[in-house]
Amino acid sequence: MLRTHTCGELNISHLGQTVTLCGWVQKSRDLGGTTFIDVRDRYGLTQLIFNTDTDAQLREKSRGLGREFVIKVTGNVIERTSKNTKIPTGEIEIAVTDIDILNAAKLPPFLIEDETDGGEELRAKYRYLDLRRNPIRNNLVLRHKMAQEVRKYLDALNFIEVETPVLIKSTPEGARDFVVPSRMNAGEFYALPQSPQTFKQLLMVSGFDRYFQIVKCFRDEDLRADRQPEFTQIDCELSFVEQEDILNIFEGLTRHLFKTVKGIDLGELPRMLYSDAMRLYGSDKPDLRFGMEFVELNDIVKGKGFGIFDNAELVVGINAKGCASYTRKQVDELTEWLKRPQIGVTGMIYCRYNEDGTLKSSVDKFYNEDELTNWAAAFGAEKGDLMLILAGGADKVRKQLNELRLEMGNRLGLRDKDTFAPLWVIDFPLLEWDEESGRYHAMHHPFTSPKPEDIALLDTNPGAVRANAYDLVINGTEIGGGSIRIHDRTLQALMFKHLGFSPEEAQKQFGFLMDAFEYGAPPHGGIAFGFDRLASIFAGLDSIRDVIAFPKNNSGRDVMIDSPSTIAEAQMTELKIKTTV
Ligand code: ASP
């Protein structure tokens, strides 16, 4: 090896030793007769001291060193006169006797320091330099630790890691597929897996019993902070289990990760019915770091002559603790925020519970103080609180109030990154009505089993059928989801029928799976965790980008390698995508 030690390990116990270090020049200070240089590698930072008075050659070399030069230095470990208690190597320095420049470096386009001056685009273009910075590298180290702990936990429970193919055909997880043209099968395409769903189910038919894979999945969706076109799942499947078993095993995994990686004892994870999550929080992934549950007001506000409430399917609100002091301007600003097209509220009603005990609403014309007292009682409001109320169609208004609740959570500082509120949401509906296509879609995916007692409803009230499906939510982010599967050909065929597939289409697309069900398919179920999201929550980040070594930007581009890009005409011809004229 070129070095005897790393830049992070030398301390007072090494005094007097002759050592050789390799690394990058972080910064250098020339103080006339003495030059100080900080050399950095993945493990830390070590201060070098050059006595340039006595050695002209050393002086020349040390002066030629720029930021990010790659160097190899040999010298003696000595005690520093002014110590730095902030870093592990802060008590020593290396009195350099020899230095080699292993590679010169151009001046980097931004500062390679914890706080950098580089903008997002620039850092993305030079991602390999951004990855030299501690905060980014630490995220990847954290991710690595998590992956190791996932493997440890699952291996101990007899899960077998199996790789499934990447060139497959479409798996319906509700997004568009990325496709790859096949040169050998002109005009035909592979699809990249949106998940290994069908393969893991087939592994259960094969008797693998417990499978897992930390696996790349691909979904061609519009991108957001927590979405990338390619992402990683901790994908699992188990045979001879019921929902309860899966919840227990993966609650165990979640607790194991929090304990071993973050030293946090999560305790037992609460569970909530999907229907309650929607009613109380207007979301299937409620952020339980704070309360502010929805309060439905239909019974006490209707019939008093206020048309907006009278005509609404649902009048529902939240109580913002301590916000009665909001000025008119602040309330108006909040209303404007709600009126943006993304949320689309037409108006917000509010009621202040003033410190002096009086109640003042924006609809005082219709509601007297007694009635407002009933409102306050419904909200459990106290002096100093501000009740915020929306009205409209039930589904829409719940979604809007969810946005308002989260925003108030932010404004009141109730969404602390170091607080973790995990939750199982269970009993999801099996089907979801899609306005655009005018038919039902599988809410999870078409392989999810309905609750046996609800199967009869498939013909009469499909929207009311509940599934054996569950999600793990942490701090308002969906971390994982799964279901008990259908393992019976007839039920699977019925499911496809309800999803609008003709028997021929179902056979063409998923015949292989239904055929497999006829060869002894065990009852099975599974789950997948979004590994990037979980890592970003562990790292306290809003975006998953910085727990991914080489992420794509919001337009799905890798600006470093400049991809996607066009391909040569000849390649297109060979792939029969387009022939040259
Ligand atoms: N395949 C599902 C998904 O990717 C997870 C599962 O059902 O196991 O969301």
Side-chain angles (χ1 to χ4, degrees), residues 171-173 194-198 200-201 217 219 231 233-237 444-445 447-448 470-471 478 480-485 525-529:
T171 351
E173 295 277 2
Q194 292 189 33
S195 86
Q197 186 61 35
T198 50
K200 65 175 174 173
Q201 290 192 241
C217 301
R219 295 183 191 176
F231 60 98
Q233 286 192 344
I234 307 168
D235 192 48
C236 305
E237 197 76 8
H444 186 46
H445 51 52
F447 316 111
T448 295
Y470 32 79
D471 272 1
E478 180 195 329
S483 58
I484 297 296
R485 325 296 184 189
I527 193 165
F529 280 14

Side-chain angles (χ1 to χ4, degrees), residues 429-441:
L430 183 70
L431 302 167
E432 178 177 41
W433 182 254
D434 182 56
E435 284 297 339
E436 219 169 282
S437 55
R439 61 179 183 83
Y440 280 103
H441 281 232

Side-chain angles (χ1 to χ4, degrees), residues 3 5-10 20-24 38-48 71 73 87-89 92:
R3 62 188 177 199
H5 294 82
T6 70
C7 298
E9 67 178 299
L10 296 173
T20 301
L21 301 182
C22 293
W24 288 262
D38 287 343
V39 61
R40 181 196 72 234
D41 65 9
R42 185 185 122 192
Y43 307 92
L45 202 72
T46 301
Q47 178 165 290
L48 311 175
I71 57 172
V73 289
I87 57 171
T89 61
I92 57 100

Side-chain angles (χ1 to χ4, degrees), residues 285-533:
K285 39 177 189 293
D287 185 345
L288 292 195
R289 280 174 294 184
F290 64 107
M292 227 189 263
E293 283 113 9
F294 291 9
V295 176
E296 299 190 355
L297 301 167
N298 282 14
D299 291 348
I300 56 172
V301 298
K302 285 190 178 239
K304 314 280 177 190
F306 180 46
I308 294 188
F309 282 178
D310 286 347
N311 299 327
E313 185 186 358
L314 180 65
V315 180
V316 58
I318 50 172
N319 182 37
K321 281 239 134 305
C323 292
S325 56
Y326 265 37
T327 60
R328 180 63 199 259
K329 200 165 150 230
Q330 277 174 299
V331 176
D332 285 349
E333 184 251 326
L334 202 56
T335 311
E336 286 313 310
W337 183 86
L338 285 167
K339 284 184 176 171
R340 292 171 313 144
Q342 300 94 302
I343 304 185
V345 161
T346 43
M348 180 178 72
I349 311 301
Y350 64 88
C351 177
R352 279 201 184 86
Y353 198 156
N354 294 318
E355 291 292 353
D356 64 7
T358 57
L359 286 149
K360 180 105 194 70
S361 84
S362 53
V363 282
D364 277 356
K365 238 179 28 203
F366 302 97
Y367 299 92
N368 61 32
E369 185 107 11
D370 278 350
E371 280 157 341
L372 296 183
T373 307
N374 288 341
W375 293 19
F379 278 106
E382 296 169 331
K383 286 177 192 166
D385 293 353
L386 176 68
M387 294 160 256
L388 303 171
I389 303 164
L390 302 179
D395 289 349
K396 194 167 163 195
V397 83
R398 285 195 176 109
K399 275 199 194 106
Q400 294 168 333
L401 192 60
N402 166 50
E403 299 289 342
L404 178 60
R405 173 179 176 270
L406 294 175
E407 176 64 17
M408 291 312 293
N410 285 337
R411 292 186 185 205
L412 294 171
L414 301 173
R415 305 181 74 193
D416 169 28
K417 287 194 169 59
D418 294 321
T419 304
F420 298 97
L423 166 76
W424 286 112
V425 178
I426 57 171
D427 290 6
F428 272 77
L430 183 70
L431 302 167
E432 178 177 41
W433 182 254
D434 182 56
E435 284 297 339
E436 219 169 282
S437 55
R439 61 179 183 83
Y440 280 103
H441 281 232
M443 191 141 181
H444 186 46
H445 51 52
F447 316 111
T448 295
S449 64
K451 289 209 180 278
E453 62 271 31
D454 288 2
I455 293 182
L457 289 172
L458 269 174
D459 287 318
T460 52
N461 186 5
V465 178
R466 290 164 307 155
N468 281 315
Y470 32 79
D471 272 1
L472 175 70
V473 175
I474 302 179
N475 294 357
T477 299
E478 180 195 329
I479 291 299
S483 58
I484 297 296
R485 325 296 184 189
I486 296 167
H487 62 281
D488 165 84
R489 175 166 200 135
T490 318
L491 185 56
Q492 188 64 70
L494 180 70
M495 188 65 194
F496 283 129
K497 184 180 134 221
H498 280 285
L499 294 172
F501 284 73
S502 71
E504 295 72 33
E505 281 169 336
Q507 182 60 31
K508 183 161 179 273
Q509 240 192 307
F510 300 110
F512 65 94
L513 185 68
M514 290 195 287
D515 291 347
F517 287 171
E518 293 188 297
Y519 290 96
H524 60 285
I527 193 165
F529 280 14
F531 189 43
D532 313 282
R533 286 189 193 170

